[in-house]
């Protein structure tokens, strides 16, 4: 009864659960990266992104105003006094316990007065207000205060300003974004153009050795990319191409052509034969059949490969490091720039999260804009 038309299979629930699991498996890390890109480094180190909408309790190190600043201290009842707010009015938080030594950050509760050396005292309130007094004139830097504070949720766009405008990164990420576009767009278009011509010839044109060429294309699908990197680089250096955009375009074209030809050839071979034969009977040449009939009908397959090639090229690091990146850093792509950020900035995870999300934003837009063509291209030929 399960096979009766109109009735769902008993395993449909398993398929649905599997799809939901895969979607969530992809969605959670992406959502976490997106949320983290709007958080500060202190918030990221304090808790996970899933807790970003809730108040956070964390240990903070604060400092009073410097006594040497003009107007910072005044004489009140025979005591030199410095007043202010530990948060400087920029942030808001509720302090629960505090201390003036890093070894005892919870010695005092809010409102208590701590007695320090040389008769100095300091009082800290829950909102960060403090009163620091001394019988002698205060000098030097402000007094450090170690506190446990509860901070409300906070989001900022400063991370994107730092990454996109180049502030603090010498414009490296913005330039890397343009460099990646310069690599990706030609490296996506060139193999599609070449593969479309080759696929039509292998699908509809009769010539000696066609079967051998098809077998070679299938065999090239399993050749490891890493196997050809060094020989191909030596070839580029030998013929004078060297490291540059032309070399990386040709490399991506060569590595992408086997799959492109295989995918497009199988799609074009499944097109109705009567259309091609009728066009040739009417006097159309192979080039006219290809441009006016085959290409419009093959758009789903072309779009499918374009998505794959764009994603692979945009996210590539290995090929770019071998064929493109030089010592000056003028041709650095985004994947390499993120690696450099990780190496030089250490714990600045807010910058790394933002840079990583900027890096995946363009592929996400391309994928969602062309996903219907991807499905049509992959399913083409599966049903007659």
């Amino acid at each position: 009864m399960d096979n009766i038309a109109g009735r769902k299979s008993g395993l449909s629930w398993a398929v649905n659960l599997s799809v939901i699991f895969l979607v969530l498996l992809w969605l959670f890390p992406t959502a976490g990266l997106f949320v983290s890109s709007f958080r500060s480094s202190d918030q990221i180190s304090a808790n996970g992104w899933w807790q970003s909408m809730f108040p956070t309790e964390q240990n903070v190190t604060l400092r009073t105003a410097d006594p040497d600043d003009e107007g910072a201290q005044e004489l009140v009842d025979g005591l030199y006094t410095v007043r202010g707010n530990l948060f400087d009015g920029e942030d808001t938080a509720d302090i629960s316990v505090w201390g003036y030594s890093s070894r005892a950050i919870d010695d005092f509760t809010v409102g208590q007065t701590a007695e320090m050396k040389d008769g100095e005292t300091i009082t800290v309130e829950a909102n960060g207000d403090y009163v620091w007094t001394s019988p002698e004139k205060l000098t030097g830097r402000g007094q450090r205060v170690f506190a446990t504070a509860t901070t409300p949720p906070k989001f900022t766009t400063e991370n994107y300003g730092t990454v996109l405008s180049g502030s603090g990164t010498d414009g490296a990420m913005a330039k890397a974004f343009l460099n990646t576009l310069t690599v990706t767009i030609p490296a996506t278009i060139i193999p599609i153009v070449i593969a479309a011509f080759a696929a039509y010839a292998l699908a509809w044109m009769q010539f000696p050795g066609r079967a051998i060429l098809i077998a070679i294309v299938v065999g090239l699908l399993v050749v490891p990319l890493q196997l050809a990197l060094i020989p191909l680089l030596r070839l580029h250096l030998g013929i004078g191409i060297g490291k540059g955009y032309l070399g990386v375009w040709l490399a991506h074209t060569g590595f992408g052509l086997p799959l492109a030809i295989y995918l497009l050839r199988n799609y074009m071979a499944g097109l109705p034969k009567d259309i091609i034969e009728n066009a040739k009977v009417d006097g159309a040449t192979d080039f006219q059949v290809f441009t006016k009939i085959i290409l419009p009908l093959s758009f789903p397959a072309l779009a499918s490969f374009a998505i794959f090639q764009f994603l692979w090229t945009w996210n590539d690091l290995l090929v770019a490091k071998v064929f493109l990146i030089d010592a000056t850093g003028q041709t650095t792509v985004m994947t390499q720039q993120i690696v450099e950020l990780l190496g030089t900035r250490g714990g600045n995870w807010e910058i790394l999260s933002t840079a990583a999300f900027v890096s995946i934003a363009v592929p996400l837009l391309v994928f969602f804009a062309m996903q219907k063509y991807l499905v049509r291209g992959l399913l083409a030929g599966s049903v007659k």
Side-chain angles (χ1 to χ4, degrees):
M1 296 296 290
D2 290 340
N3 295 326
I4 297 177
R7 297 196 59 173
K8 294 184 178 180
S9 170
L11 294 178
S12 60
W13 62 270
V15 175
N16 294 335
L17 289 178
S18 300
V19 172
I20 294 174
F21 173 76
L22 293 175
V23 170
L24 294 178
L25 190 65
W26 177 88
L27 183 62
F28 281 153
T30 306
L33 195 65
F34 177 73
V35 173
S36 298
S37 67
F38 290 97
R39 306 181 74 198
S40 65
S41 58
D42 292 337
Q43 292 174 320
I44 291 177
S45 60
N47 55 28
W49 63 269
W50 56 90
Q51 298 174 300
S52 59
M53 299 302 296
F54 305 98
T56 302
E57 185 177 81
Q58 56 185 323
N59 296 327
V60 295
T61 302
L62 308 168
R63 189 180 291 274
T64 66
D66 294 340
D68 293 336
D69 292 344
E70 184 178 355
Q73 61 179 311
E74 56 184 348
L75 192 60
V76 179
D77 297 333
L79 296 175
Y80 290 93
T81 304
V82 178
R83 301 175 183 270
N85 188 281
L86 293 172
F87 299 108
D88 293 329
E90 297 181 359
D91 300 312
T92 58
D94 292 327
I95 297 176
S96 55
V97 292
W98 62 279
Y100 59 86
S101 172
S102 60
R103 291 174 294 180
I105 64 174
D106 57 353
D107 272 2
F108 306 97
T109 59
V110 292
Q112 279 189 306
T113 299
E115 296 182 359
M116 301 182 293
K117 63 180 181 178
D118 300 329
E120 296 180 16
T121 64
I122 185 171
T123 305
V124 176
E125 302 295 340
N127 63 352
D129 290 340
Y130 65 87
V131 178
W132 179 21
T133 65
S134 174
E136 303 292 335
K137 187 174 182 179
L138 295 166
T139 58
R141 297 196 63 187
Q143 173 65 39
R144 286 198 303 175
V145 174
F146 302 88
T148 300
T150 301
T151 58
K154 181 184 178 182
F155 300 95
T156 178
T157 58
E158 294 180 359
N159 300 335
Y160 283 92
T162 300
V163 170
L164 297 179
S165 68
S167 173
T169 60
D170 299 326
M173 185 57 68
K175 184 169 182 57
F177 182 83
L178 297 177
N179 292 341
T180 308
L181 284 177
T182 304
V183 171
T184 303
I185 294 176
T188 302
I189 297 176
I190 295 174
I192 289 179
V193 173
I194 298 175
F197 282 98
Y200 173 74
L202 294 176
W204 293 105
M205 297 178 66
Q206 301 294 329
F207 56 89
R210 187 180 72 158
I212 296 177
L213 288 178
I214 295 175
I216 292 175
V217 170
V218 174
L220 288 174
L221 289 173
V222 298
V223 175
L225 178 149
Q226 296 83 355
L227 187 67
L229 289 178
I230 302 305
L232 193 57
L233 178 61
R234 289 181 176 177
L235 175 63
H236 287 185
L237 295 175
I239 63 179
I241 295 178
K243 286 192 173 186
Y245 289 121
L246 179 59
V248 78
W249 293 340
L250 294 178
H252 280 299
T253 298
F255 295 137
L257 274 178
L259 177 61
I261 296 174
Y262 179 77
L263 180 66
L264 295 178
R265 186 261 172 192
N266 289 345
Y267 185 90
M268 292 179 182
L271 295 176
K273 186 177 182 180
D274 294 341
I275 299 178
I276 289 88
E277 291 178 346
N278 292 338
K280 290 184 175 181
V281 169
D282 292 338
T285 63
D286 281 317
F287 184 76
Q288 290 174 327
V289 171
F290 173 71
T291 56
K292 297 184 181 299
I293 298 177
I294 299 298
L295 280 184
L297 292 177
S298 302
F299 184 78
L302 294 172
S304 298
F305 175 74
I307 293 174
F308 285 125
Q309 183 70 3
F310 187 93
L311 295 180
W312 288 332
T313 309
W314 183 274
N315 294 321
D316 168 71
L317 175 61
L318 179 60
V319 176
K321 286 182 71 68
V322 174
F323 293 96
L324 182 64
I325 296 174
D326 54 21
T328 62
Q330 295 300 311
T331 55
T332 301
V333 293
M334 292 195 69
T335 48
Q336 175 64 21
Q337 188 60 42
I338 292 175
V339 172
E340 293 179 0
L341 282 174
L342 181 62
T344 58
R345 291 182 171 270
N348 285 6
W349 296 107
E350 75 282 5
I351 300 298
L352 294 175
S353 299
T354 305
F357 190 80
V358 170
S359 177
I360 70 173
V362 174
L364 284 176
L365 291 176
V366 171
F367 177 79
F368 286 121
M370 303 183 69
Q371 61 174 334
K372 62 178 180 180
Y373 301 114
L374 173 64
V375 175
R376 288 172 56 188
L378 294 178
L379 294 182
S382 61
V383 179
K384 292 292 186 181

